[in-house]
């Protein structure tokens, strides 16, 4: 016992606190985690790689664009001036270029006919160019420098021209036919391909009753320039009695007329934007028939 009469309570050693370890007498500082540094380093490498790839892609893309533009410029320098009657690989290329755009596909025949001229004019009209049916440098510049550009055939091939037959020689042939109906048919055949024009009865363009009027006029028979009036003036016949030269009427009100040529076909001038053509009678609703002479 102590002099004060109080007992000393023995102190227990604290086990909850541990003194920091020392290295050469100094307190050790905690080490920084290595994982974040590794991640940062990895990010840096990825970023550099991404920049490298982007730069490479840009360079390759630039080279491709430059190459494409160079190729288009090279082809443009070789592009020929094309018009109706031309025939070549260049015409086939023109048709393929036009088919790569919206619209009804052209037959890729390599021959520049009415359909090709019509599509060329449609493109020229869209771009404010004169619609003369000619595919010149301005047309090729449009076709070769947009996303619809196609490749082949080459534009450097030789272009030949096939002239349309002269109508005078063809028209002369109908004078030897004996019957008036045959003469009317021969005249109508000579007008195949002529454009439709409302109110026209030749030469060079026709509407439906204008074509039949002109055909029978060539045979010495006068007809009015109106479908109903023609039906009224001519002698009515049945479909089974049809022979070449007869007038065939279609649609309600007999609003359309053609010239019968045999084998169930007529020659007619269809509508604006089209040309004089052959067609099967069965393609239109039959309304009646008549024989002018």
């Amino acid at each position: 016992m102590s002099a004060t009469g109080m007992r000393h309570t023995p102190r227990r050693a604290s086990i909850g606190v541990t003194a920091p370890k020392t290295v050469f007498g100094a307190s050790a500082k905690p080490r920084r985690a290595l994982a974040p540094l590794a991640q940062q380093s990895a990010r840096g490498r990825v970023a550099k790689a991404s920049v490298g790839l982007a730069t490479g892609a840009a360079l390759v893309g630039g080279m491709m664009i430059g190459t494409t533009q160079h190729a288009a410029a090279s082809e443009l320098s070789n592009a020929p001036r094309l018009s109706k009657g031309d025939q070549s690989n260049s015409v086939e290329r023109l048709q393929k270029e036009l088919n790569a755009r919206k619209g009804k596909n052209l037959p890729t025949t390599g021959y520049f006919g009415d359909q090709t001229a019509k599509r060329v004019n449609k493109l020229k009209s869209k771009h404010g160019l004169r619609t003369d049916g000619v595919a010149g440098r301005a047309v090729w510049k449009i076709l070769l420098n947009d996303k619809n550009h196609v490749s082949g055939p080459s534009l450097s091939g030789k272009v030949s021209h096939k002239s349309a037959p002269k109508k005078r020689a063809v028209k002369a042939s109908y004078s030897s036919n004996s019957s008036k109906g045959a003469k009317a048919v021969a005249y109508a055949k000579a007008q195949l391909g002529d454009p439709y024009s409302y109110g026209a009865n030749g030469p060079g363009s026709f509407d439906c009753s204008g074509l039949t009027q002109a055909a029978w006029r060539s045979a010495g028979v006068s007809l009015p320039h109106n479908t109903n009036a023609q039906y009224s003036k001519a002698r009515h016949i049945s479909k089974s009695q049809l022979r070449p030269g007869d007038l065939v009427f279609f649609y309600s009100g007999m609003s359309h007329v053609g010239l019968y040529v045999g084998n169930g076909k007529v020659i007619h001038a269809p509508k604006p934007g089209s040309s004089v053509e052959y067609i099967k009678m069965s393609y239109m609703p039959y309304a009646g028939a008549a024989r002018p002479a």
Side-chain angles (χ1 to χ4, degrees), residues 47-278:
K48 289 180 181 178
S50 299
V51 171
L53 288 172
T55 304
L59 288 172
V60 172
M63 290 172 64
M64 290 177 67
I65 292 171
T67 302
T68 301
Q69 290 176 342
H70 176 73
S74 176
E75 285 196 298
L76 185 59
S77 66
N78 293 323
R81 179 182 174 87
L82 301 173
S83 59
K84 285 180 66 174
D86 287 343
Q87 190 167 10
S88 68
N89 288 338
S90 297
V91 176
E92 182 183 346
R93 173 65 174 276
L94 173 66
Q95 291 164 338
K96 287 183 176 181
E97 292 282 0
L98 292 169
N99 284 343
R101 287 147 186 83
K102 290 182 179 179
K104 186 178 179 180
N105 277 358
L106 289 166
T108 53
T109 60
Y111 177 74
F112 198 125
D114 289 335
Q115 291 182 2
T116 303
K118 185 176 180 181
R119 285 292 296 277
V120 167
N121 280 341
K122 184 176 180 181
L123 179 71
K124 296 183 82 168
S125 176
K126 181 179 178 181
H127 290 271
L129 301 173
R130 186 162 64 96
T131 53
D132 54 4
V134 176
R137 183 178 178 82
V139 169
W140 285 112
K141 189 173 182 180
I142 295 167
L143 296 175
L144 298 176
N145 287 282
D146 66 10
K147 64 181 180 180
N148 298 308
H149 176 52
V150 301
S151 60
S154 171
L155 295 177
S156 58
K158 184 179 179 181
V159 178
S160 61
H161 187 82
K162 182 181 178 183
S163 299
K166 292 182 179 180
K167 288 191 174 181
R168 286 184 180 178
V170 177
K171 288 180 179 179
S173 65
Y174 68 75
S175 62
S176 62
N177 294 313
S178 56
S179 75
K180 293 180 179 180
K183 290 179 180 180
V185 169
Y187 179 92
K189 286 181 178 180
Q191 316 314 313
L192 288 168
D194 281 354
Y196 178 99
S197 180
Y198 180 76
N201 62 354
S205 62
F206 303 86
D207 64 8
C208 66
S209 60
L211 176 64
T212 52
Q213 180 192 43
W216 274 98
R217 184 174 61 227
S218 72
V221 178
S222 176
L223 288 175
H225 192 171
N226 177 273
T227 55
N228 283 277
Q230 287 182 3
Y231 184 74
S232 298
K233 184 173 181 177
R235 179 166 60 91
H236 300 173
I237 58 173
S238 65
K239 187 187 288 189
S240 61
Q241 294 175 311
L242 281 171
R243 68 188 187 195
D246 289 341
L247 305 178
V248 185
F249 298 85
F250 302 93
Y251 300 101
S252 61
M254 297 191 177
S255 57
H256 187 64
V257 63
L259 199 73
Y260 187 70
V261 295
N263 298 319
K265 294 182 179 180
V266 295
I267 293 177
H268 72 147
K271 58 184 179 180
S274 58
S275 304
V276 176
E277 64 177 6
Y278 282 107

Side-chain angles (χ1 to χ4, degrees), residues 39-55:
Q39 291 174 358
Q40 291 174 9
S41 177
R43 288 194 199 103
R45 289 194 297 272
V46 170
K48 289 180 181 178
S50 299
V51 171
L53 288 172
T55 304

